Amino acid sequence: MYGFKRTAVSAVALSAAMVSFGGAQEIKQVTGETAKAVNVPPVTQRMLDRADRDTKNFLHTNGDYRQQRFYPNAQINTGNVKRLHPAWIFQTEVKESMETSPIVVNGVMYVTTSFSHVYALDAKTGAELWHYKHAMGPITTYCCGPNNRGVEVFEDKVFLATLDAKLVALDAKTGKVVWQSAIADPELGYSETMAPTVVKGKVLVGTNGGEYGIRGFVKAYDAKDGKLIWTFDTTPENSVGVWAEKDATGRDMHRNIAAEKEQLAKSGDPYKTLGGGVWQNPAVDLATNRIYFMVGNPSPDLDGALRPGDNLYTDSLVSVDLDTGKYVCHFQYIAHDVWDLDAVSPAVLVDVKDKSGKVIPGVIHAGKTGHVYVHDRKDCSLIRFSQAMVPQENMWTLPTAQGARMLPGANGGVEWSPIAVDPELGVSYAINLHQPMTYHVESSAYPQGKLWLGGAFKVIPSEQQSGNITAVDYNTGKIRWQVKTPQPMIGGILATAGGLVFAGEGNGRFRAYDSRNGKVLWTFNAGAGVNAPPSSYAVDGKQYVVVAAGGNVQLDYKRGNNIIAFTLD
Amino acid sequence: MRSRLRVGWAKRSVPTLQVLAAVLAAPLATAQPIEGKVQACAACHGENGIPPDKSWPVIWGQHQGYLYLQLRDFKSGTRKNDVMGPIAEKLERDEMLAIALYFSQKAWPNLRQARALDAVAAQASRTNASVGCTGCHQAGYQGEGTQPRLAGQSADYILKSMMDFRTRRRGNNPGMSDLMNATSEDDLKALAAYLAGS
């Protein structure tokens, strides 16, 4: 219905051909002596709803509203993946950390770079169609690099959230700004690196800033004009909670509750600067009209003395109503976190077995702790947690001024990297870090829009680091298989109906694995860190896999500026 | 020698600095084009962008967001300096942003500092791997937005800043203080030498 048509015409013919037909719009591009016209039909809500069955487009950052990152096209599969080779490589203007998930709509690809640039590319050839370079404000405050994780396209607009905390709607055919809204004041520590999620006319976006003493939120904007519809504050005015002494797995967190209560009486509820960033996209349950998202660490990261209480809803899975933004349920993994082992990797909706073995709507999350947590979607309650995917030692040793060693290190486990699932196999795939660290605490007042860690995390240089890809049976919590990598992994993963999972490494390797056993089936060296989630799509009946190779700021992996699309010979 | 100069400058020169600050602050306070406002800055930060004293920072080519935040913090007193405090006190936000923009658009000067020895560079690299300097200061320590460029900054100023963060004498970024306290003095010296010669 929304077939992609790309017609090579002469420049003269093109100038006369800038008309819309069949509801589609045209992109005009002049490269050297050739000119091209590309149809960009509007992305409808129906297309977004059915993205899980779409073997041609890649419409959501995490594949579909459930965020399963399971691509239903099986043309590239275990039998032929060894013949995968680059179809094209596009080099962006910005050579810096890349975390973008390419979005593909009828043969047009939208990718982003650090510093909030957007490119529209011909997904078949890699030719540039347009380039949006955000006019960045002078104040940007962020913790882990000037990253951007991508866009979402709805109707005729491309939606981008920027490093200087703006929400921008671009014309999908030209890249020109249609509207722009200020999300929050960057001088107070707010910034944006996530891709927005668009559903039923609303643009949903969270915020960074857990390292800056912000008050976190998820906001919904009107896709038509950028007007704010609702705000859900991730730190409620009563953030104290139930004084939980054990984490989600039942381990004692060694809280000094008496001291916290004394501090609460003195300083009151700390919700205004309590952090609680939402780094990644919410999952959308279209049947119940609810969204599910992860709330990050409390501020300051390592110093709990200034923020008595459980620090709700930091380190939590939270669900709110899509229409109103009203609270539905939450589950907190670590109350009063002082290790930054928070909840970042996006929530995934999938049917799971409950404790009695009955299949129910579930929601799963892979934590920095290294566990995959499995929840009942109805009330957010925890059904089970998986075996640890990374070494855990000395949990929960409190940070000290001199530094206390505890594993996992503060990056995880699973960082922001989205996981994938294969619902038929009942397996989740997560990429992990193993970075031994010491945790240091040092108390200081909030420095107004400056980094506020309350101490430091320090990698122990003498200890070996590594990474892994781990497949977990989420109906039992058991690890099915694990493949170790020489470096900690960050960036994301894609599973496909071809029986494959694709993931990249900081050393430039991009690999395809057999999703049933982790066997390496194909390797490509991208020349720069592959630390972004892969996507897949098809043009003219041919399936592609695409990934960004730009390295990573947080782990200082080799920088690059490549978008690389692969296809079969 | 460098260390003695830095400490001595701060301790001994206060009366002189107060006079200097009063003189410099006056022209900045009046309504005038940006060139007039920034003229006084050259006394310390250099006519050609090269500060006459090595313990004073290069601000030519530094990022606007960072320069603005420092002026803001000098004004609020969270960063203390006997010269800059009185100057910033009279500035409004728009003026600070304009001054910051002016200097950010200048070319970064070459201080002709020696490239660090390989062993020193390796030590600096290990330090970065441990506390993650480039997480904020970007690849090549070029900075961006509110994160300052460190590459090619004066060695004396960089080391003084890191040590001032360490002792919390410089109090406008406790996160930096925490990171500097988690790093040995020897490693900080290696970092300063490496950054200066970058």
Side-chain angles (χ1 to χ4, degrees):
Chain A
M1 181 171 174
Y2 294 102
F4 168 72
K5 295 176 187 171
R6 183 171 161 272
T7 315
V9 293
S10 73
V12 175
L14 180 72
S15 61
M18 285 296 289
V19 293
S20 62
F21 47 92
Q25 299 136 57
E26 286 200 342
I27 285 178
K28 181 180 179 181
Q29 186 212 20
V30 177
T31 306
E33 293 179 2
T34 58
K36 304 168 188 172
V38 181
N39 279 336
V40 186
V43 174
T44 63
Q45 185 58 50
R46 183 175 160 78
M47 287 168 73
L48 293 176
D49 292 348
R50 297 171 59 86
D52 59 319
R53 283 154 275 179
D54 192 335
T55 56
K56 192 168 75 170
N57 300 309
F58 199 92
L59 298 175
H60 300 279
T61 283
N62 293 313
D64 66 281
Y65 278 133
R66 300 167 308 175
Q67 309 206 110
Q68 294 188 352
R69 296 195 69 76
F70 179 83
Y71 197 65
N73 195 325
Q75 190 180 89
I76 300 169
N77 55 50
T78 51
N80 60 22
V81 68
K82 61 177 185 250
R83 292 196 281 113
L84 207 57
H85 70 105
W88 51 260
I89 300 174
F90 177 78
Q91 293 190 287
T92 66
E93 186 181 297
V94 183
K95 190 178 178 184
E96 183 51 280
S97 194
M98 295 183 87
E99 298 185 351
T100 188
S101 292
I103 297 296
V104 182
V105 184
N106 291 283
V108 177
M109 180 182 296
Y110 301 91
V111 295
T112 63
T113 71
S114 277
F115 304 108
S116 315
H117 290 226
V118 185
Y119 287 88
L121 307 174
D122 182 325
K124 187 174 178 181
T125 65
E128 181 181 319
L129 304 175
W130 54 254
H131 174 196
Y132 170 73
K133 196 174 185 174
H134 182 63
M136 197 73 73
I139 317 267
T140 48
T141 45
Y142 51 90
C143 100
C144 311
N147 303 304
N148 189 279
R149 287 190 281 282
V151 297
E152 176 115 324
V153 185
F154 174 60
E155 294 180 340
D156 55 355
K157 297 186 193 74
V158 177
F159 298 91
L160 167 77
T162 67
L163 208 56
D164 55 354
K166 293 189 171 61
L167 184 62
V168 183
L170 303 173
D171 184 328
K173 66 179 184 219
T174 63
K176 304 279 187 221
V177 175
V178 178
W179 56 254
Q180 180 169 288
S181 292
I183 296 171
D185 183 354
E187 197 166 339
L188 299 178
Y190 294 91
S191 63
E192 295 290 342
T193 54
M194 68 182 284
T197 292
V198 187
V199 54
K200 297 181 182 174
K202 295 183 183 67
V203 187
L204 305 175
V205 69
T207 183
N208 302 346
E211 279 63 44
Y212 284 87
I214 56 134
R215 186 183 188 194
F217 54 73
V218 172
K219 289 177 187 277
Y221 291 86
D222 191 324
K224 284 196 192 70
D225 54 18
K227 291 209 172 98
L228 182 65
I229 298 171
W230 54 253
T231 299
F232 174 81
D233 293 310
T234 57
T235 60
E237 289 185 21
N238 183 350
S239 67
V240 171
V242 297
W243 305 102
E245 296 191 56
K246 292 182 175 170
D247 75 350
T249 67
R251 281 171 286 199
D252 195 312
M253 296 180 292
H254 305 116
R255 288 174 69 177
N256 185 341
I257 302 283
E260 285 185 49
K261 286 184 173 171
E262 201 176 313
Q263 180 66 32
L264 183 67
K266 266 194 268 179
S267 58
D269 197 297
Y271 71 94
K272 285 182 183 165
T273 56
L274 192 53
V278 177
W279 289 82
Q280 286 281 38
N281 301 67
V284 182
D285 188 339
L286 293 165
T288 60
N289 216 39
R290 291 178 182 177
I291 62 170
Y292 294 81
F293 53 88
M294 312 314 303
V295 181
N297 62 284
S299 301
D301 301 48
L302 291 137
D303 179 19
L306 300 172
R307 45 174 173 82
D310 291 354
N311 305 149
L312 295 174
Y313 301 108
T314 64
D315 289 39
S316 298
L317 165 71
V318 176
S319 176
V320 305
D321 181 87
L322 173 61
D323 289 337
T324 63
K326 299 282 183 215
Y327 170 92
V328 174
C329 61
H330 83 281
F331 182 89
Q332 189 173 40
Y333 302 100
I334 305 166
H336 195 78
D337 175 15
V338 289
W339 304 272
D340 192 21
L341 284 177
D342 57 343
V344 199
S345 177
V348 176
L349 306 184
V350 66
D351 287 346
V352 300
K353 286 182 181 166
D354 69 8
K355 283 175 183 163
S356 69
K358 186 180 157 199
V359 176
I360 60 165
V363 50
I364 64 177
H365 161 66
K368 277 196 188 174
T369 54
H371 296 293
V372 174
Y373 300 94
V374 181
H375 301 263
D376 186 332
R377 210 180 303 171
K378 178 171 78 287
D379 58 7
C380 297
S381 61
L382 185 68
I383 298 169
R384 69 181 63 86
F385 59 91
S386 74
Q387 292 176 297
M389 298 182 282
V390 292
Q392 297 177 329
E393 291 177 30
N394 308 327
M395 286 171 83
W396 295 100
T397 298
L398 294 172
T400 63
Q402 297 73 33
R405 180 180 178 277
M406 190 187 87
L407 305 182
N411 288 327
V414 183
E415 243 285 358
W416 57 266
S417 316
I419 66 170
V421 300
D422 186 325
E424 266 193 40
L425 297 177
V427 169
S428 64
Y429 305 95
I431 61 169
N432 281 271
L433 305 94
H434 168 59
Q435 285 187 297
M437 284 191 187
T438 47
Y439 291 82
H440 305 246
V441 63
E442 189 71 49
S443 201
S444 57
Y446 178 46
Q448 299 303 319
K450 299 270 178 55
L451 203 63
W452 192 34
L453 299 179
F457 332 97
K458 196 176 172 191
V459 168
I460 304 170
S462 57
E463 294 199 34
Q464 189 69 40
Q465 300 184 26
S466 63
N468 72 60
I469 304 174
T470 305
V472 164
D473 181 332
Y474 49 77
N475 288 318
T476 64
K478 298 271 188 339
I479 291 175
R480 284 263 185 97
W481 55 259
Q482 184 171 76
V483 176
K484 291 208 168 151
T485 58
Q487 294 167 299
M489 292 186 81
I490 195 164
I493 191 162
L494 177 75
T496 75
L500 300 167
V501 292
F502 290 89
E505 300 175 40
N507 57 17
R509 281 200 307 221
F510 183 50
R511 286 184 147 173
Y513 302 82
D514 188 321
S515 61
R516 288 181 182 271
N517 54 31
K519 189 179 171 195
V520 178
L521 299 177
W522 171 81
T523 300
F524 178 83
N525 191 325
V530 182
N531 306 115
S535 303
S536 187
Y537 62 97
V539 181
D540 293 344
K542 200 164 189 186
Q543 187 185 357
Y544 295 74
V545 172
V546 61
V547 75
N552 180 267
V553 166
Q554 206 170 340
L555 300 179
D556 203 20
Y557 289 147
K558 187 181 173 190
R559 308 301 200 277
N561 57 347
N562 307 310
I563 303 290
I564 312 176
F566 301 90
T567 193
L568 296 171
D569 272 333
Chain B
M1 182 67 193
R2 283 176 176 175
S3 174
R4 191 164 56 79
L5 173 68
R6 285 195 311 276
V7 176
W9 184 85
K11 282 185 179 169
R12 291 199 304 261
S13 311
V14 170
T16 320
L17 291 176
Q18 281 167 346
V19 173
L20 181 62
V23 171
L24 296 179
L28 282 169
T30 54
Q32 55 182 303
I34 189 71
E35 284 75 14
K37 288 185 182 177
V38 298
Q39 212 169 22
C41 308
C44 294
H45 294 289
E47 290 286 353
N48 54 358
I50 299 177
D53 186 311
K54 289 179 178 170
S55 65
W56 296 341
V58 168
I59 61 169
W60 279 36
Q62 188 56 278
H63 299 288
Q64 184 193 9
Y66 172 74
L67 293 175
Y68 161 72
L69 283 191
Q70 301 316 300
L71 289 170
R72 184 198 73 175
D73 292 352
F74 282 128
K75 180 171 181 164
S76 71
T78 53
R79 183 172 178 186
K80 296 186 193 313
N81 182 285
D82 292 321
V83 176
M84 290 306 302
I87 292 170
E89 199 176 38
K90 296 182 174 62
L91 297 174
E92 296 304 321
R93 187 174 188 272
D94 288 351
E95 292 173 299
M96 294 182 199
L97 281 167
I99 292 167
L101 178 64
Y102 175 85
F103 285 110
S104 72
Q105 291 172 337
K106 295 279 188 186
W108 184 275
N110 184 351
L111 303 191
R112 303 191 184 288
Q113 298 175 114
R115 201 174 177 80
L117 300 172
D118 287 351
V120 173
Q123 188 177 354
S125 175
R126 284 195 299 274
T127 305
N128 179 40
S130 184
V131 293
C133 314
T134 45
C136 291
H137 292 287
Q138 308 290 310
Y141 296 89
Q142 293 297 311
E144 186 275 332
T146 54
Q147 310 296 344
R149 170 175 170 163
L150 303 180
Q153 182 58 275
S154 161
D156 284 18
Y157 173 75
I158 296 175
L159 187 58
K160 173 177 158 47
S161 296
M162 291 194 291
M163 295 307 293
D164 283 352
F165 277 128
R166 208 158 190 263
T167 60
R168 297 184 191 274
R169 179 197 297 268
R170 182 166 169 180
N172 71 328
N173 196 328
M176 270 298 295
S177 293
D178 297 337
L179 293 170
M180 296 300 93
N181 274 305
T183 310
S184 74
E185 195 170 334
D186 196 46
D187 285 344
L188 295 183
K189 283 181 180 162
L191 254 184
Y194 172 75
L195 293 169
S198 295

